[in-house]
Amino acid sequence: MWTDCVCALGALAAKHAGNRRLLYHYLAQSKRRLTLVDEIIKAGRLASKGRCLLMYESQGKKYWGAGHGLAGIVHALMDMELKPDEVEDVKCTLHFMIRNRFPSGKCPSSEGNESDHLVHSCHGTPGFALTLAKAAEVILLCDAICVK
């Protein structure tokens, strides 16, 4: 969201200054970012195969962690400007991950992994906790904006 604001402000300043080169630079940055978000969402929907609304595969595994998996990608998506259906996909994906934790409360390192011993930030629950904290922050911010 902030990147869009910076690009919009940059484009506005460039337009008022009469600087066409900077104007097109900021407009291109904003457009490129939106294309990237679209591709991330599309890839997540394709790899999900119905169990979860968004899922991502790397090296033949569907990792859940923050370092190189679902929690990290969802965390990054929460910083982007998303369409309403994409917001719902992110929320449902978070709910899926919460519902499918181990009885200990930890998350699996990858889809189908039954091992409950990893506690690394890249594969385990510490990284997922950061994503949940971000989700709480984003949801509270959205609620505050909607109430006003």
Side-chain angles (χ1 to χ4, degrees), residues 57-110:
E57 192 168 317
S58 174
Q59 300 172 354
K61 287 190 174 186
K62 294 179 178 178
Y63 291 107
W64 278 40
H68 38 81
L70 186 58
I73 294 168
V74 168
H75 190 283
L77 285 171
M78 286 187 283
D79 278 329
M80 306 294 176
E81 188 172 323
L82 301 174
K83 298 171 194 153
D85 63 318
E86 295 168 344
V87 170
E88 286 306 309
D89 285 357
V90 168
K91 285 181 184 177
C92 290
T93 299
L94 287 164
H95 287 288
F96 170 82
M97 293 179 79
I98 292 167
R99 283 191 315 271
N100 288 283
R101 291 174 298 152
F102 293 121
S104 67
K106 295 184 217 168
C107 296
S109 62
S110 60

Side-chain angles (χ1 to χ4, degrees), residues 3-88:
T3 305
D4 282 342
C5 291
V6 170
C7 288
L9 286 172
L12 184 62
K15 182 177 180 180
H16 284 289
N19 189 329
R20 285 178 166 259
R21 186 185 62 78
L22 271 180
L23 173 64
Y24 292 125
H25 167 77
Y26 283 115
L27 291 174
Q29 290 300 316
S30 182
K31 189 174 253 184
R32 186 177 310 130
R33 185 177 166 282
L34 294 175
T35 301
L36 178 62
V37 171
D38 291 342
E39 290 302 314
I40 291 169
I41 293 290
K42 185 167 75 171
R45 288 173 176 164
L46 284 172
S48 71
K49 307 243 191 308
R51 243 192 90 143
C52 178
L53 289 174
L54 299 174
M55 186 59 76
Y56 302 89
E57 192 168 317
S58 174
Q59 300 172 354
K61 287 190 174 186
K62 294 179 178 178
Y63 291 107
W64 278 40
H68 38 81
L70 186 58
I73 294 168
V74 168
H75 190 283
L77 285 171
M78 286 187 283
D79 278 329
M80 306 294 176
E81 188 172 323
L82 301 174
K83 298 171 194 153
D85 63 318
E86 295 168 344
V87 170
E88 286 306 309

